[in-house]
Structures are given as C-alpha cells and as structure tokens.
Amino acid sequence: AASKRTAPPRPATAGLPKAILDAAGRGDEREVVAWLAQGGQVDARCAEFHSFTLLMAAAGRGHTQLVRLLLQRKATLDLQIDAGGTALMAAAGRGQTVTVQVLLEAGADASLLSDKGGTVLQWAEYSKHDATASLLRRHAARPKTATAEEAAAAAAAASAAAAAAEKAADELLAEEEAEAEDTGKTKAGKKNNG
C-alpha cells in the first residue's frame, strides 16, 4: 500500500465564515476581497464545511480569476482537508480543466494523496472528466524542472564534490611526490654505501 504523501505542514487559521466560503464558491471576488481587506486570512479554514479554504471553494467551482487573485495573495496551493483533498483535487473532481491548468502552472502538487489513497488524476477519471484527466496525464509525463532551491542545492553539492575531488587529487599527488622523493633518497643511499 502506498504511504500517504502530504504537503509540508503550514498552519492554516480557522475562522473562515461559511458565507465567505460560499462567496468564493460563487466567484464573488468583491465579497472575498472585502473580507480579506478586513483582516481575513487567505488560508483560513471553514469549520462548518470540511475545513475548506477560499482557494478550494473557488477552484472547485472553476472561478479561475478568483483562484489567480488568491494565489497572488499567497494562498497555499497544497493545503489538505482532513480527508486529504486539495484545491487541485476539488477542481479536477468537478472537471474544471482551465482551473486545474492554472493550479498546475502555479506549482500545485499532483502527487498528493487523499486519505483513501486517491490521486488528483483518479479524482478526474472517477468523475469522468476526460479533458481534465488528459491534462493531468500530460503534466505527469513532462520532465520535472528543478525549483530554484533544488538547483541551488544541486550546484552547492556539485561544488562541494569538485572541491573534495580536487583535495583528494592534491593529497594523492603529494603522496606520490613523497614516495618518489623517498625512492630517490633510498637509491642515493645505496649508491653511497655501495
């Protein structure tokens, strides 16, 4: 059995009123932005509805413009509800292909699993959303590009490996020179004694 892979934990605050969650589900940007302007948190969860976030509600209903707005305000892409669902799963399960594309381009993790082990692709296939499933398959088949952090880590590792190799080569060369010098002294000593 596959182990459940979850997004890195990032605390999401409680306190998203159901009325504001519903506004996000309707795509009511004005109401959502007003709530955020009054101090509402972009990653707040709605205790009255499965701990959904604004991003999950907007994504599930295909309100792509609101999804983009929430992402600009730093909504966390891969927050999961207790059952493991994400905004990407909400969009894919309802066949919101354009919204799925936006979330994938923003870096949503398509490999996360629900609590029952389901992937976002399985959600789309189960709901018979062929275009969305096709998009997810194409996304999965693309070569992965390293993030800036991964690229920096790889460069640092390569630099450290090169430095270690250079040090080892210097040590080996020094040992060979020392052996050659010792061999030369030994030969000179035999000539002098002979």
Side-chain angles (χ1 to χ4, degrees), residues 20-21 23-25 27-37 54 66 69-70:
I20 301 302
L21 182 73
D28 188 338
E29 290 179 41
R30 194 170 53 95
E31 193 171 342
V32 170
V33 169
W35 182 76
L36 290 169
L54 294 169
L66 181 53
L69 182 143
L70 293 167

Side-chain angles (χ1 to χ4, degrees), residues 48-114:
E48 298 171 66
F49 194 77
H50 310 289
S51 296
F52 263 53
T53 64
L54 294 169
L55 185 61
M56 292 170 188
R61 296 295 183 171
H63 298 298
T64 306
Q65 187 169 325
L66 181 53
V67 166
R68 285 187 176 113
L69 182 143
L70 293 167
L71 292 174
Q72 288 171 352
R73 290 178 175 252
K74 307 295 184 210
T76 303
L77 278 168
D78 295 320
L79 283 180
Q80 293 179 283
I81 61 172
D82 292 340
T86 63
L88 184 60
M89 289 176 184
R94 289 180 168 253
Q96 306 295 349
T97 307
V98 173
T99 304
V100 167
Q101 179 68 42
V102 167
L103 292 168
L104 290 172
E105 288 171 359
D109 188 344
S111 71
L112 295 177
L113 302 176
S114 70

Side-chain angles (χ1 to χ4, degrees), residues 141-166:
R142 282 192 286 188
K144 301 293 180 216
T145 56
T147 64
E149 191 174 286
E150 292 168 336
S159 178
E166 188 172 325

